[in-house]
Amino acid sequence: ILLQLTWEAIEDAGISPDVLAGDQVGVYVGASALDYANESLFDPNVATGHFMTGNTLSIISNRLSYIYDFKGPSFTVGTACSSSLVALHEAYRALNSGRIDCAIVAGVNVLASPFPFVGFAQATMLSSDGQCKAFDAKGNGYVRSEGGVALVIRRKDAPRWKGQRSHADIVAVDVNSDGRTVGMSLPSDVEQANLLERIYKSHDIDPNQLAFIEA
């Protein structure tokens, strides 16, 4: 999935993948589930020579570096629901430090096993009616989903490609941990507010000027 999405993202950026081959392009992927591998563990017949390199989180990112011949940092970030955003944070920091000029940031999730559904249901995390109601008093859990995304991000001061297209600027990134909360899987509204406040203040962002917030 990510091989195809990465190809499409590079095309959308206005460059051919062979131009990036051999360059210090970083690959930062958010992924935290191994449904396909877990389903296969009960059948020893699937343990072929390709099984281990096809069913590890580390290879998800390194496969992109291998196929496209990217020479920059390449790793998979697993921080549960925030994996892709933390991957973006790490890519941004690497670009900002001058370590790399270009990065592929991606995320992928596939729902291929019933076991996580059973486990999350037993933990009363899933919505019983299959609907997300964020910030609603009637909220009764979340809904699992699958999909993938790939972005090409590049430092502003890096030489532009001929035909380069850009859709947005990243103004700031930051991450935190909420520390000890009422439950290990539950966030802290105070610490999340502190994180936002730190971003706004350190980058002179007026919250009143924000068009919308994605949550």
Side-chain angles (χ1 to χ4, degrees):
I1 294 172
L2 286 189
L3 284 175
Q4 178 179 338
L5 290 173
T6 298
W7 183 279
E8 294 174 355
I10 294 173
E11 277 191 328
D12 185 66
I15 191 171
S16 174
D18 63 325
V19 175
L20 295 178
D23 283 356
Q24 291 289 318
V25 177
V27 176
Y28 302 82
V29 175
S32 61
L34 283 171
D35 283 21
Y36 182 79
N38 292 338
E39 281 290 274
S40 304
L41 287 178
F42 300 102
D43 183 5
N45 292 317
V46 304
T48 65
H50 299 290
F51 182 80
M52 295 311 300
T53 54
N55 292 281
T56 59
L57 289 174
S58 59
I59 296 298
I60 295 177
S61 51
N62 198 242
R63 188 182 303 281
L64 300 179
S65 300
Y66 172 76
I67 293 295
Y68 293 109
D69 195 25
F70 298 148
K71 301 297 179 67
S74 179
F75 57 89
T76 305
V77 177
T79 56
C81 302
S82 62
S83 298
S84 298
L85 289 175
V86 176
L88 175 64
H89 173 268
E90 293 303 308
Y92 181 93
R93 294 291 297 270
L95 289 166
N96 208 35
S97 70
R99 169 66 180 83
I100 54 177
D101 289 336
C102 182
I104 304 296
V105 180
V108 66
N109 190 51
V110 174
L111 306 179
S113 170
F115 288 97
F117 284 95
V118 175
F120 286 127
Q122 291 293 332
T124 65
M125 294 180 180
L126 299 184
S127 170
S128 58
D129 56 17
Q131 295 184 347
C132 286
K133 307 181 190 72
F135 309 113
D136 192 320
K138 297 179 182 178
N140 59 355
Y142 77 100
V143 179
R144 303 183 73 216
S145 62
E146 59 183 4
V149 65
L151 306 172
V152 179
I153 63 173
R154 193 163 171 83
R155 271 210 334 270
K156 268 190 172 182
D157 59 355
R160 291 183 64 85
W161 304 316
K162 183 179 180 180
Q164 178 175 323
R165 290 191 293 269
S166 179
H167 298 290
D169 289 336
I170 301 174
V171 177
V173 297
D174 205 349
V175 297
N176 75 337
S177 174
D178 290 343
R180 182 177 295 166
T181 63
V182 294
M184 189 167 63
S185 61
L186 302 175
S188 163
D189 55 350
V190 173
E191 292 307 321
Q192 291 302 301
N194 288 338
L195 173 65
L196 290 174
E197 186 176 8
R198 182 166 72 244
I199 294 174
Y200 296 152
K201 285 186 175 180
S202 61
H203 295 275
D204 295 324
I205 298 173
D206 180 1
N208 295 313
Q209 297 300 311
L210 298 178
F212 70 92
I213 294 177
E214 180 80 22

